[in-house]
Amino acid sequence: MPSRPLFQDYPWVSSPAIISAPMSGFAGPALAHAVYKAGGIGFLGGLPDTKALYTALQDVTELVTGTRLPQPGADALPIGLGALLFAQKLDEVVALVKVFRPVAVWLFAAHEFADFKRWTEEIRKASNVTKIWIQIGSVTGAVKLAQSCKPDVLVLQGADAGGHGGEKGAGIISLIPETLYALQRLGLNDVSIVAAGGIADGSSVAAALTLGADGVVMGTRFLAAEETTVHPSYQAAILETEDGGQTTVRAKVFDELAGPNIWPRDFDGRALIAQSYRDHIKGISIEEIRKSHAEAKQTSHLGFDQENRRAAIWAGTGVGLVREKAHASDILTEVRQAAKVALERAMTIMG
Ligand SMILES: Cc1cc2nc3c(=O)[nH]c(=O)nc-3n(C[C@H](O)[C@H](O)[C@H](O)COP(=O)(O)O)c2cc1C
């Protein structure tokens, strides 16, 4: 089975490895540091604004300095950095990597597959302590990336995921085992596999591990963390929403609300069903939808409130499992404990 132990590269990590997704605009220094401190792997979200990213990296460096955990290497920053390939400039990210030497860079959403190779090579040249993580949502894509980039980690993103992902997709329940089979058949064994999409509690963590993942990513669950940068009305919507399979939807219209969609063509995003989406389905013009969205954005709730929900509230199908605001460290403790209980229960049933 393809598997490169995650722990050799991230020595402070407690088992099972829990990773906070690099949610652009949400995952800042406080969340990344809190997850790191609790024995997980914390990522900063990628931002097109390189100055803001520089400040975030400076802030998180300050936060981790003085937190005494086993270090990945003398001068490595034990925090990961997200990168949205279609929206960020490679030379600017490389410059940041040279200065801050993050333990990982997570690549996502390229216009062309060849871009992943270019980014991987340049980042590796810039820092010998930075591991390459690539998030992808298909078996074919994962194999292509394993062959062309030899990433250290493949993040397999299932269709349940909150935020952006491939328009076509499968849940992790088939995506992970089929990808593992395909990689194994080709002898592509030197890669860690991390699961993402719909994982929001201990039982789903346990399920991902039994599917063959070496670690798990949570995005939506961390939207309820005290340390996440999130508008209170957005967070309230996450805590209130149940039955994510019915109350969230994958659509491209969410990327049209503020102007033309700039995401790669085969991407859409999963968000809470909002009035903008309902209007789109009814055939209301995008101009009208944008106008109402812009008006809602002028209010103190920014269009996230139940009464006038027009803005995109990115969330995965696991949103119904996110019920309470909590510190990231408590989320990690609870999820790890519940994963153990779920696995023990399964073992009892196995006999
Ligand atoms: C609010 C939000 C923002 C996200 N932003 C990014 C991003 O900037 N870059 C990225 O690679 N993934 C992003 N994602 C997707 C995550 O990497 C991950 O695939 C997803 O959160 C996993 O599914 P879950 O939300 O059900 O846990 C985002 C997800 C959410 C919910």
Side-chain angles (χ1 to χ4, degrees):
M1 177 176 285
S3 211
R4 172 197 161 98
L6 269 180
F7 300 94
Q8 71 190 30
D9 298 324
Y10 317 96
W12 69 89
V13 167
S14 306
S15 188
I18 294 174
I19 297 124
S20 55
M23 298 180 284
S24 181
F26 299 84
L31 180 65
H33 173 246
V35 170
Y36 158 72
K37 216 172 139 191
I41 305 178
F43 274 84
L44 290 180
L47 296 170
D49 180 349
T50 306
K51 261 197 191 153
L53 209 47
Y54 188 97
T55 306
L57 281 158
Q58 252 181 342
D59 291 351
V60 82
T61 303
E62 234 168 76
L63 288 170
V64 302
T65 306
T67 307
R68 300 223 152 269
L69 294 174
Q71 293 300 307
D75 61 346
L77 173 67
I79 296 291
L81 176 64
L84 294 167
L85 272 55
F86 75 97
Q88 290 177 259
K89 293 203 172 71
L90 174 56
D91 56 340
E92 293 182 3
V93 174
V94 162
L96 292 174
V97 167
K98 277 188 184 155
V99 174
F100 292 99
R101 297 170 67 77
V103 76
V105 174
W106 163 312
L107 309 179
F108 186 51
H111 278 299
E112 305 297 336
F113 247 79
D115 296 340
F116 284 117
K117 187 159 187 244
R118 217 156 42 86
W119 279 64
T120 299
E121 286 173 357
E122 292 301 315
I123 292 166
R124 283 194 169 136
K125 257 192 260 163
S127 156
N128 59 359
V129 298
T130 303
K131 302 294 172 194
I132 298 293
W133 294 42
I134 307 182
Q135 178 165 249
I136 190 77
S138 70
V139 178
T140 323
V143 167
K144 242 172 148 173
L145 289 170
Q147 286 170 325
S148 61
C149 303
K150 304 205 178 322
D152 301 283
V153 175
L154 275 171
V155 181
L156 298 180
Q157 186 193 38
D160 291 306
H164 291 86
E167 213 176 352
K168 288 198 281 179
I172 56 169
I173 201 147
S174 57
L175 178 64
I176 294 179
E178 190 184 340
T179 303
L180 288 172
Y181 173 74
L183 293 174
Q184 186 175 24
R185 216 165 35 136
L186 295 166
L188 299 164
N189 295 319
D190 195 21
V191 58
S192 299
I193 299 296
V194 162
I199 301 167
D201 74 340
S203 63
S204 40
V205 168
L209 297 176
T210 63
L211 290 168
D214 300 299
V216 300
V217 172
M218 296 195 298
T220 301
R221 178 73 194 257
F222 284 116
L223 291 173
E226 299 273 0
E227 296 86 352
T228 301
T229 311
V230 58
H231 188 281
S233 304
Y234 190 123
Q235 197 171 51
I238 295 292
L239 298 177
E240 282 158 16
T241 302
E242 294 175 353
D243 201 0
Q246 303 300 309
T247 51
T248 70
V249 69
R250 300 198 72 94
K252 279 180 183 284
V253 70
F254 298 117
D255 291 314
E256 294 277 353
L257 298 178
N261 186 356
I262 56 166
W263 280 80
R265 61 189 171 280
D266 49 356
F267 273 69
D268 64 8
R270 185 180 288 282
L272 301 191
I273 292 176
Q275 193 55 41
S276 304
Y277 173 78
R278 289 194 198 95
D279 287 354
H280 169 67
I281 295 302
K282 271 193 244 158
I284 292 176
S285 74
I286 192 64
E287 289 75 24
E288 275 297 300
I289 293 172
R290 279 185 190 148
K291 191 165 162 277
S292 306
H293 174 258
E295 282 163 14
K297 277 289 180 199
Q298 298 299 318
T299 68
S300 60
H301 292 292
L302 305 183
F304 297 134
D305 52 320
Q306 182 95 55
E307 291 69 38
N308 193 22
R309 184 165 298 159
R310 290 196 163 266
I313 301 180
W314 308 109
T317 59
V319 67
L321 295 164
V322 187
R323 301 185 192 105
E324 278 171 21
K325 192 169 168 173
H327 286 286
S329 60
D330 292 332
I331 294 176
L332 264 78
T333 305
E334 189 233 294
V335 162
R336 283 194 192 111
Q337 186 54 34
K340 284 203 181 96
V341 171
L343 288 169
E344 278 160 15
R345 177 181 178 276
M347 287 306 289
T348 311
I349 291 171
M350 291 291 291

